[in-house]
Amino acid sequence: MTAADQPRDGAGGAGTGALLDRARGQALDLFHSAWSATPATVRRWALAAVIVNAGIAVTGAAVRLTGSGLGCPTWPRCTPDSFVPAAHDAHSPLNMAIEFGNRLLTFLVLAVAVGCVVAVMRVAPRRSSLVYLAWIQPLGVAVQALWGGVVVRTLLNPVTVSVHFLLSIGMIAAAFALYARSGEGDQPPRRLVHRDIRTLGFVLVAAVLALLIAGVVVTGTGPHSGDEAASRFGFDIQSVARLHADAVWVVLGLTFALLFALHVTDSPGRARRGALILLGVELAQGVIGYVQYFLAVPALLVGLHVLGSTLVWIATLRVVYLMRSRGPAGAPFTGENLLDAAGV
């Protein structure tokens, strides 16, 4: 080694040390954001829960779309003799790595879930409504992990795979409820729009949920099973795809009706913008859906369609929460809105 080389090595070591110090500092900041929580950090943890639950739903679909659904053929081990990927005659190293990587992401979702619980337990004043919602996250992760074992042990039966995705949809809803509630007070809900418009919002949520269920039936009937050993629903693919498309048009019609009603009644701008964003997301999702159908469902477009379905779900929930108020964050319960909360 020459003298000219030494400064560069020293600089490299200093750079590595700086990166480690920065990572350590960020980890401490993350810990303190939960342990010394404020209403703002609770809201950020809830948003993180929405993101990671949506993310693992998409990565779970990627596992199936790459044919890696049984890359780890056992559960909780990856192979009969190992918790981590090991040489296995029936599965390629790449498929095993993809499936095992998705399993590891469960620990990220769990870490965020624990962060949510710690934050709502440590924030002052503690709000029981947030505590209940936060505890859904780690309990839901446990249920999802156990159900993942059922999926593997049933060789990717389309029913168990469909339930696995729908559990993620439920987790997203609970996480978004935590996010929305952490940014408002504990007053009884006060409608910001006409009662019938609020009812239309609830109908739209039910329609989107039905659309998601129809979507998993199409997925369970289509070609991307996740593994050659996986079974499929025995439906005619064109019939279920057509049914799914009909549900799309129903959701689009309801969304347009909601947007129109919000505008003609001069409803709050946030609710109108939320409905407009929802309509835009739905239109983009519809374009992807039709394109993937006519291109014989290429894996990449199917993955984008799964991402779009989670975004449609989140945007729908957001609109419903924007049509009512519980007062500003920190506002105490007064009872003055009880008549409005009861719909009087």
Side-chain angles (χ1 to χ4, degrees):
M1 180 182 296
T2 65
D5 292 328
Q6 293 179 1
R8 286 196 294 270
D9 292 343
T16 301
L19 287 175
L20 290 175
D21 289 340
R22 189 179 308 159
R24 190 180 300 112
Q26 291 174 344
L28 287 173
D29 290 342
L30 196 62
F31 170 78
H32 287 302
S33 69
W35 189 254
S36 304
T38 65
T41 60
V42 169
R43 192 163 166 80
R44 286 198 289 269
W45 276 105
L47 179 59
V50 175
I51 293 171
V52 296
N53 277 290
I56 201 165
V58 175
T59 60
V63 170
R64 178 173 51 80
L65 293 169
T66 57
S68 306
L70 293 177
C72 287
T74 63
W75 189 94
R77 289 182 171 89
C78 182
T79 65
D81 302 318
S82 175
F83 281 96
V84 298
H88 195 278
D89 294 338
H91 302 280
S92 72
L94 178 59
N95 291 144
M96 297 185 77
I98 292 173
E99 164 63 3
F100 185 72
N102 191 63
R103 290 189 183 189
L104 289 180
L105 285 178
T106 302
F107 292 98
L108 173 61
V109 181
L110 178 61
V112 173
V114 172
C116 288
V117 172
V118 172
V120 300
M121 296 292 290
R122 295 284 300 175
V123 72
R126 181 185 299 178
R127 298 168 58 188
S128 59
S129 59
L130 299 188
V131 172
Y132 296 140
L133 288 171
W135 271 107
I136 292 175
Q137 294 303 307
L139 293 176
V141 173
V143 171
Q144 278 283 59
L146 292 174
W147 193 259
V150 174
V151 172
V152 172
R153 290 177 179 272
T154 58
L155 300 179
L156 307 184
N157 182 283
V159 174
T160 60
V161 173
S162 299
V163 172
H164 204 35
F165 177 77
L166 293 175
L167 284 173
S168 289
I169 292 299
M171 290 285 289
I172 292 171
F176 193 88
L178 177 61
Y179 172 74
R181 294 287 288 111
S182 62
E184 58 188 12
D186 286 321
Q187 297 267 354
R190 177 174 60 88
R191 288 183 288 106
L192 301 177
V193 300
H194 191 276
R195 184 189 313 163
D196 294 340
I197 298 177
R198 183 115 166 97
T199 301
L200 179 59
F202 291 134
V203 172
L204 177 59
V205 171
V208 171
L209 182 58
L211 175 61
L212 294 173
I213 294 173
V216 297
V217 173
V218 174
T219 299
T221 308
H224 299 290
S225 63
D227 191 273
E228 294 180 357
S231 59
R232 301 275 79 197
F233 286 128
F235 306 121
D236 175 67
I237 185 61
Q238 291 188 347
S239 298
V240 292
R242 191 175 300 113
L243 178 64
H244 181 58
D246 291 341
V248 169
W249 286 110
V250 170
V251 168
L252 282 171
L254 289 172
T255 304
F256 182 81
L258 178 64
L259 180 61
F260 181 77
L262 289 171
H263 275 275
V264 298
T265 57
D266 196 28
S267 297
R270 293 184 64 197
R272 284 180 284 155
R273 289 190 296 272
L276 185 60
I277 290 172
L278 171 59
L279 182 61
V281 174
E282 289 172 350
L283 290 174
Q285 174 75 337
V287 169
I288 294 173
Y290 275 104
V291 171
Q292 73 169 5
Y293 178 78
F294 288 113
L295 293 181
V297 288
L300 178 60
L301 288 182
V302 175
L304 289 176
H305 201 54
V306 173
L307 172 61
S309 68
T310 63
L311 295 178
V312 168
W313 180 235
I314 293 169
T316 304
L317 296 173
R318 181 171 179 266
V319 171
V320 173
Y321 278 103
L322 289 175
M323 291 193 293
R324 64 100 176 96
S325 172
R326 286 180 177 267
F333 173 81
T334 64
E336 65 184 19
N337 294 323
L338 280 176
L339 290 179
D340 191 64
V344 178

